Amino acid sequence: MPPVELILLALSPLFVICVALEYMRAKQYYKIKDSLNNSVLALLHQGVDAFCLVLLMPFFYYLHQYAVFDIKLTWWTLLIGFVVQDFLYYWFHRASHNIHWFWLAHVVHHSSTYMNFTTAFRQSVLYPIVGMWLFWLPLILIGFSPELVFAIVAINLAFQFFVHTQTIGHLGWIEYIFNTPTHHRIHHAINKPYIDKNYGGVLIIWDRLFGTFAPYQAEIKIRYGIIGTLPKDNPLSTNFSPVKQLVRKLKQRNGMKQKLKVLFGYPNDS
């Protein structure tokens, strides 16, 4: 099993405990059918992701032969790798909101009107197909081993589980450097000032540097979900209704130029 799945599987008891504690404390943030759907989506995503990574691993090892450096595992190379991967994650996340092809997978994560720890489980089976893994290739070409790269990816994703909650408030100075529940609630909001903001995975500094940071505004009551038609509360609809909508849009466009604009343009402008 690839490192991503092993690490997330090892942490799954902690995730379940956090879900249970949050539910006992704040049931109003939950809808059982939504959370069950999120859990099934997580299992499907992990299974497909593991299968695809096994298929792609020979390609990653092939690329690693041409790495610029031979990076050995030490505490400081791990730290550098973590920061670089988080930087790459920022651009993956930003691309996933601004390019329809990547949004095809990422929209699944945003398509719930609820925000709780199980929302972190709400992932698409289409991530390997649209090419999330493309964004980690620079790390392999720099000289990090494929196993280490995907272990770092797993740690990054595990951290992000803890920002999907409404039960944690402002965290003081931490908010200036790290992604927090406050920042991520804004990211999931469909209120106009908050759309396409706060893409950071672990560090929020990338948003501050590249102009995509939005601060919390107490006067705005956050609404969660997506702009457009919501899927039904089942894994089939949640995963594939965006594909159905994309195919319909492609059929409505004439000529390759217009179809490419649908595929690679901004989702809501397509």
Side-chain angles (χ1 to χ4, degrees):
M1 186 176 288
V4 178
E5 278 65 40
L6 285 173
I7 291 173
L8 295 178
L9 185 64
L11 290 171
S12 58
L14 175 61
F15 297 156
V16 171
I17 290 169
C18 289
V19 168
L21 291 174
E22 183 184 52
Y23 180 75
M24 288 188 292
R25 179 182 176 187
K27 290 183 177 66
Q28 69 272 24
Y29 299 142
Y30 279 79
K31 177 186 173 185
I32 296 299
K33 192 173 182 180
D34 174 82
S35 294
L36 288 174
N37 186 32
N38 294 344
S39 300
V40 174
L41 287 167
L43 293 172
L44 291 172
H45 164 75
Q46 290 298 107
V48 171
D49 204 45
F51 177 74
C52 291
L53 278 179
V54 168
L55 292 181
L56 287 167
M57 201 58 78
F59 171 63
F60 298 144
Y61 282 120
Y62 172 79
L63 283 184
H64 189 57
Q65 297 178 97
Y66 302 99
V68 179
F69 305 104
D70 180 19
I71 298 176
K72 305 299 182 184
L73 178 59
T74 65
W75 69 267
W76 63 271
T77 59
L78 181 61
L79 178 61
I80 291 171
F82 189 85
V83 172
V84 174
Q85 190 273 330
D86 196 63
F87 173 75
L88 295 173
Y89 178 86
Y90 168 86
W91 290 106
F92 154 73
H93 201 178
R94 187 166 176 173
S96 293
H97 280 256
N98 289 275
I99 298 173
H100 201 155
W101 176 249
F102 293 114
W103 178 244
L104 193 64
H106 192 60
V107 64
V108 170
H109 182 60
H110 282 265
S111 61
S112 173
T113 57
Y114 293 83
M115 170 59 98
N116 55 60
F117 281 136
T118 72
T119 307
F121 298 158
R122 194 181 183 94
Q123 302 294 339
S124 173
V125 298
L126 298 177
Y127 276 123
I129 295 169
V130 302
M132 182 180 184
W133 50 271
L134 292 169
F135 289 83
W136 319 140
L137 297 185
L139 279 167
I140 294 173
L141 290 171
I142 289 171
F144 292 92
S145 70
E147 296 96 336
L148 180 57
V149 168
F150 289 103
I152 292 171
V153 169
I155 295 168
N156 189 300
L157 295 176
F159 172 91
Q160 291 185 54
F161 168 85
F162 298 100
V163 299
H164 290 84
T165 181
Q166 297 185 65
T167 60
I168 297 175
H170 196 275
L171 296 176
W173 65 268
I174 292 173
E175 304 271 344
Y176 291 98
I177 303 170
F178 294 98
N179 188 19
T180 65
T182 302
H183 297 323
H184 206 63
R185 287 193 290 271
I186 289 168
H187 175 71
H188 273 259
I190 56 172
N191 308 75
K192 193 170 182 179
Y194 291 159
I195 292 175
D196 297 336
K197 300 294 183 181
N198 298 0
Y199 296 117
V202 174
L203 302 173
I204 202 67
I205 57 174
W206 314 122
D207 290 283
R208 296 183 185 277
L209 285 171
F210 298 112
T212 54
F213 176 74
Y216 171 70
Q217 299 178 50
E219 68 275 13
I220 298 177
K221 180 176 174 58
I222 292 179
R223 293 180 292 116
Y224 299 105
I226 56 174
I227 296 172
T229 305
L230 289 167
K232 296 176 182 178
D233 272 334
N234 67 72
L236 189 64
S237 176
T238 307
N239 270 309
F240 297 110
S241 61
V243 178
K244 184 178 179 180
Q245 293 171 27
L246 176 61
V247 170
R248 185 176 67 249
K249 288 182 178 181
L250 288 171
K251 288 180 177 179
Q252 293 170 350
R253 301 301 194 273
N254 295 318
M256 184 58 68
K257 185 176 180 180
Q258 289 300 314
K259 293 181 187 297
L260 289 174
K261 185 178 179 182
V262 170
L263 277 175
F264 300 108
Y266 186 78
N268 290 335
D269 289 343
S270 300

